Every structure is written in structure tokens, then in C-alpha cells.
Amino acid sequence: MKLKAIEQGDIGLSASFENGAESLYPYIWLRDNDPSGFHPDTKERTFDLTSVALDIRPHNVRFTADSLSLEWPGSDSTCTFDADWLFRHRLGTRRFDPANVMQKTWSADSLGELPRFHAKDCRDDPRQLAAMLHAFKQIGIVVIDRLADDPHSGERFGDLIGFKRETNYGVMFEVKNKPDPINLAYTALSLPLHTDLANQELIPGAQFLHCIVNGADGGDSVFADGFQVCRDLADEEPDVFDVLKKFSVPWRFYDESCDLIARWPVIRQKDDGQFDALTFNAHLADIPDLEPDDMVTFYAAYQNLMRRIRSDRYRFEYRLEPGEMVIMANRRVLHGRTGFDPNSGPRHLRGYYIDWNEIDSRLRVLYREYPETAPHLPA
Ligand code: OGA
Ligand code: ZN
């Protein structure tokens, strides 16, 4: 974007761009973000903010359509900002981010089908991988199919995205009916809709469940979009919604080797009104410890949410086939399963977590090489 005009004001420089956009850049901000204040190799900031006065002003300002050059007191070199860079960093506007994908909430009817991608396509074509990650960010759930007939193929697929998150269940966890289970998922019981690991300081961002075998009677998967539930609750019973946002309650998992506790409200919302997280796991709810009056209020809201979550309005059933892997936004999409008969056949899923940081990083890196992978964003 070309620069059209630069004006010096009291606190900073006002820039106008050829498309009519404008921004004011405070002098201290320009000094701190001088491109020469970053290490050329590591790209990390090396400039020391305490080395200059807060009211610093450039003593020489020049610009062309393509760049802005400043000279600062105490520095011999001229600092040059690229016009495109200034445009992208207009203050007060949200920066272009290829990982910034609008969420589309869904209910059982509106979803239709789960978004589906072939493992090989994602592996062979980075654009397909990006398309898959977009769909995942938008809908909060995707199915990867045609994974190789190998118990490690789902695990390897995760390497296309980023580092796996280790928890007390290990990096990889085996979801099957086991003797001495440490988690209800490792039984044949039905699992009501829940999000995983509410008891963690950072609740894992995405859960991956690779189906190795699903040969037992029962064991169908169930999913629901927690953000749709939150949206409907906010519209229909705002008081209940507010209670679930207001009170933090403890969530806990403990066994012989660990005792993991975290406090979270059930609903978290961002400043811009978008939903940030739904944390709901009846099995991990620790003994709530609110004041008695608050406790009664909380229970009413919590039970209300629990009933809503179970409603057919949200419940999407799907039977995972061997060679498929479901990926869920764990702080948004609830998952569960129907009970199964372990004597009727084997059932084995292999799971792991990857955090959003990794997923977003992959999208940004893919975008560097394949800008067309972010068609939803303005260039
Ligand atoms: C889990 C879980 C569901 C299933 O492992 O967290 O909820 O289908 N599993 O077994
Ligand atoms: Zn689970």
C-alpha cells in the first residue's frame, strides 16, 4: 500500500495511505519498532526501551510512496519503515492473521455432515492441510479418513501440524476397556458429552482420536457444539449464562501419582463477545466451594446447562470407522460415546492433544508459502 501523506503531530506521525486509510503512530512506538532494533537472524527485539525518553521525537522525517525514513536523536543511522508494513500495522485495527478464522456454530440439524478430509491429501498437498485446519477452526470438528492401516498412522498425522501436548495420560493414550482404569474413558461405560481435562492449568486445545478398531456393539461417538449451546443460552436465559461466566469452580483429577486441580468458570467469553471456552466435564467437577447463596445459584445454572447439553437439538451421532480420526476443538466441542459391550468385539481408539498455538502456527507458516490458503482473509 502506498503512502500518500505524513504529518507530524504532538504525540506521533499521522500517515494517510493511497486507499484512504489513516493511522497515527506515536513516536515512542515508532522508536521501539524501528526495524533495526530487531536481531537480523532471530528476529527478536534487541532494542532497549529504557535507553530513550518517552517523549522522543525524530529530528528528521522523510517519506516516499513506498517508505518512511526517520532519524532519531542518539542514533547515527536512519530508520526506514516499509509503507506496506506501516499499513499492516495500523494502530487500533486488527492485524491480518491467516489463523484468524471466523467460527461457524452448529446444531445437530444444521451441521449436516462432519467436514471430512483424506489423510493422504493433507499429507501430499499443504493446501489441503490448510483447508482442513480452516474447516477445523471454523466448525470445531473434522474427520480425517483413509489413514494407513497402522496403529501409528493417526499419531504420525499430528506431526504435519505440530508438537503434541503431554499430560498425565502420556503423549499418546489408548482408549480401550482396561483393567484398573484411571479414567472412565478406559472402561466400556457410556460417556456423556464433555470436554477433556478441565482440571488442567491450560486445557488442551485440540483432541485427536484415531479409531483403530470399533468392532463392539455400541461405542458410537456423540458430539455437540458447545458454543452453539452457549449462544442459545445467552439468547434465551441470559441470567443463567452470566452465572456460568461469573463463578469459577474447581476441577480435579487425582490418582496415586498426581493431583491436578484447576479453577475455571464453565463459560469464558472474549472481550469482543466471541466465545473463548466451554469447560464442562461432570466427572472432573471437584467439590464446589462457593458461598452457600452463590452455590445454590450456581447449581441451578449448572444443571440448566447440563440439561441443555443433552438435548437432541445439539447431539450429533457418528460411528467412527477404523482408519478415521476425529479432531475436536476441546474447549468448544463436547464429545462422548454410547456404552459398548466389551465381550462383543474389540474397541480401541488412540488419542492425543495438540494446542491451538501449534495449529495457528502451522496455518501462518503454510500461508507464507501458499497465500492462497487463506481465501477468507483480505490480502
Ligand atoms: C476420551 C473420550 C471417547 C470415546 O478419551 O476423552 O472421551 O469414544 N473418548 O471413547
Ligand atoms: Zn473425552
Side-chain angles (χ1 to χ4, degrees), residues 20-154:
E22 293 181 349
S23 181
L24 171 65
Y25 304 97
Y27 296 119
I28 188 65
W29 183 93
L30 288 163
R31 182 67 191 95
D32 189 41
N33 295 294
D34 175 344
S36 68
F38 292 81
H39 192 280
D41 297 324
T42 76
K43 324 275 194 305
E44 290 162 293
R45 189 191 304 277
T46 48
F47 177 67
D48 176 8
L49 182 62
T50 63
S51 68
V52 297
L54 279 177
D55 61 357
I56 190 167
R57 290 180 73 129
H59 49 62
N60 197 351
V61 176
R62 278 168 293 132
F63 79 98
T64 66
D66 295 317
S67 67
L68 167 69
S69 301
L70 308 174
E71 281 168 30
W72 297 108
S75 166
D76 301 335
S77 53
T78 304
C79 115
T80 305
F81 290 94
D82 187 60
D84 279 332
W85 186 94
L86 283 170
F87 180 73
R88 284 201 308 276
H89 292 84
R90 294 186 317 284
L91 296 193
T93 58
R94 192 150 178 192
R95 186 132 23 110
F96 169 83
D97 182 356
N100 180 15
V101 180
M102 273 297 270
Q103 289 167 352
K104 237 195 224 171
T105 59
W106 48 270
S107 56
D109 287 343
S110 72
L111 182 61
E113 279 180 34
L114 294 174
R116 171 177 292 274
F117 294 83
H118 302 327
K120 188 172 178 313
D121 292 351
C122 294
R123 188 173 290 284
D124 293 349
D125 182 358
R127 292 172 197 84
Q128 274 296 309
L129 181 63
M132 184 277 283
L133 293 174
H134 281 146
F136 178 51
K137 291 205 72 160
Q138 194 173 54
I139 310 293
I141 183 166
V142 293
V143 171
I144 306 300
D145 65 13
R146 303 193 200 169
L147 282 154
D149 182 15
D150 162 357
H152 298 280
S153 56

Side-chain angles (χ1 to χ4, degrees), residues 242-261:
D242 287 343
V243 169
L244 294 171
K245 254 176 61 174
K246 179 173 170 191
F247 294 112
S248 290
V249 287
W251 310 86
R252 180 183 190 198
F253 175 81
Y254 63 103
D255 63 12
E256 277 170 16
S257 60
C258 70
D259 193 345
L260 297 156
I261 302 178

Side-chain angles (χ1 to χ4, degrees), residues 190-196 221-225 229 280-283 306 308-311 314-316 333-337:
S190 74
L191 294 176
L193 286 162
H194 63 279
T195 60
D196 275 9
S221 299
V222 197
F223 305 106
D225 186 352
V229 179
F280 177 75
N281 191 318
H283 301 306
M306 229 170 184
R308 278 175 175 268
I309 283 173
R310 287 185 196 177
S311 142
Y314 305 111
R315 184 184 171 88
F316 187 90
V333 168
L334 301 136
H335 65 281
R337 69 163 183 238

